[in-house]
Amino acid sequence: MSYEPRFSLGAADVHRPYVADEDRYSALPYRQVGRSGLYLPAISLGLWWNFGDNVPFDRQRRMIRHAFDRGIIHFDLANNYGPPHGSAETNFGRLLREDLTPYRDELIISSKAGWDMWPGPHGDLGSRKHLLASLDASLTRMGLDYVDIFYSHRVDPVTPIEETIGALDAVVKAGKAQYVGISSYSAERTAVAVAVARSLGTPLVIHQPSYSILNRWAEDGLTGVLQQEGLGAIAFTPLAQGLLTDKYLVDGIGRREQPRRVPEKLTEEAIAALRSLNVIAQERGQTLAQMAIQWTLRDPVVASALIGASSVAQLDENIAAVNGPAFDVEELERIDAVSSAVDVDLWAVSSRL
Ligand code: NAP
């Protein structure tokens, strides 16, 4: 599907009142989340990095406007995204207020609670106290009455799952979230969470696991449970935080910019695997980033690939992933063979509970 942006947002444009591109629904497919009524764009944008107070606000505005103009209707946040914690929600709230208010009904906005947010025993994890207080604070920061999806961000090994899922049920019943989800729960715990949610009538429709060519834990039982129970997945870090792009392939290893979040993963072995993957991508007529994104979407249980990006150019490159040719069996086997030696699963501890 070809798409020409109506205009390119330059420095001056970000100060003009925003009117969304009329063709915004022509660039991306929208995929059903499990057996729910929720649809997500094949590519969603996460605000974990690049939307904190350390990034100029105009750059953030350019990114969000451009994303929405290209059909990215889903923006993924959490209480602690920044830095500092909370600032991504505050900045996004300002963008909503100044640019996106007329489009609120088109947007799918998510937030989460579970990672460290404030001191004391209720500042993280999955207690009712933490989840309810955190969502209220997130709504205040974003200036919203409700989020579209609210997640339990990680497993709490101590709090009974009935309490955690009961808190998700409470926010739906209070009108503060339309759907709820869980993130990084194991296959076994997901099955229990679904059973509890079903007993309460809670719309638990989505799971957010880490998933990429270099991180396949979700295939070991989780996607099967989701498929069986009618939930969908949204795959976070499909680019392994930038490893699965040409970012680290250009120069020699000594001169290359080190990945800021996964430096220990950038071994010679990893680079060799990335180079081989890059060759496969080139043969397919796409970039490594595009192939990596498309790969996460080959199973329909994955409704969306949840990317990060620091520029409009990255966004455009990544969105074009949906135009790539379908994978054939031989390509998939070659990808498996060259990537099997590298595992980039930074969430392994919380994913295995
Ligand atoms: P990612 O898509 O794997 O990596 C994104 C980074 O890769 C970008 O910030 C950019 O790095 C680089 N990049 C992206 N496109 C590129 C391109 N075309 N060419 C070159 N480099 C490119 O995802 P992520 O940022 O790690 O995470 C994405 C989202 O997942 C987060 O924002 C968050 O919403 C969600 N998430 C959820 C959890 C959870 O526990 N549920 C955990 C982590 C993340 P630079 O910024 O350095 O340019």
Side-chain angles (χ1 to χ4, degrees), residues 217-239:
W217 78 272
E219 291 175 0
D220 190 18
L222 178 64
T223 50
V225 168
L226 298 178
Q227 169 79 42
Q228 188 180 321
E229 300 293 347
L231 272 72
I234 176 166
F236 76 77
T237 58
L239 302 173

Side-chain angles (χ1 to χ4, degrees), residues 47 51-53 57 60 77-79 81-82 84-98 117 137-143:
L47 280 71
F51 294 87
D53 287 347
F57 186 73
Q60 302 186 30
L77 294 106
N79 53 1
Y81 290 179
H85 285 16
S87 62
E89 289 186 333
T90 303
N91 292 329
F92 186 68
R94 181 175 160 198
L95 287 167
L96 281 171
R97 207 168 52 247
E98 295 180 3
M117 194 56 198
S138 291
L139 291 173
T140 301
R141 283 190 288 269
M142 291 190 278

Side-chain angles (χ1 to χ4, degrees), residues 115 184 208-220 222 236-237 240-241 243-244 261-262 264-265 341-353:
W115 288 98
S184 300
Q208 189 174 126
S210 58
Y211 184 50
S212 74
I213 289 175
L214 302 179
N215 169 11
R216 302 178 180 211
W217 78 272
E219 291 175 0
D220 190 18
L222 178 64
F236 76 77
T237 58
Q241 300 189 288
L243 283 184
L244 287 166
R261 286 161 269 157
V262 281
E264 74 281 7
K265 304 290 179 188
V342 187
D343 186 15
V344 185
D345 183 0
L346 300 181
W347 289 265
V349 174
S350 55
S351 299
R352 299 299 177 268
L353 298 172

Side-chain angles (χ1 to χ4, degrees), residues 46 48 76 183 208 236-237 239 241 247 260 308 310 314 318:
W48 178 29
D76 180 78
S183 179
Q208 189 174 126
F236 76 77
T237 58
L239 302 173
Q241 300 189 288
K247 215 178 172 70
R260 62 174 179 233
S310 61
Q314 287 181 359
N318 298 347

Side-chain angles (χ1 to χ4, degrees), residues 4 11 18 52 67 78 85 88 91 96 156 166 170 241 253 265 283 287 290 301 307 327 334 336 339 348:
E4 291 298 323
Y18 175 64
H85 285 16
N91 292 329
L96 281 171
D156 182 338
Q241 300 189 288
I253 195 163
K265 304 290 179 188
E283 287 171 12
T287 66
Q290 289 168 341
V301 82
I307 62 158
F327 290 101
R334 286 173 67 201
D336 290 349
S339 57

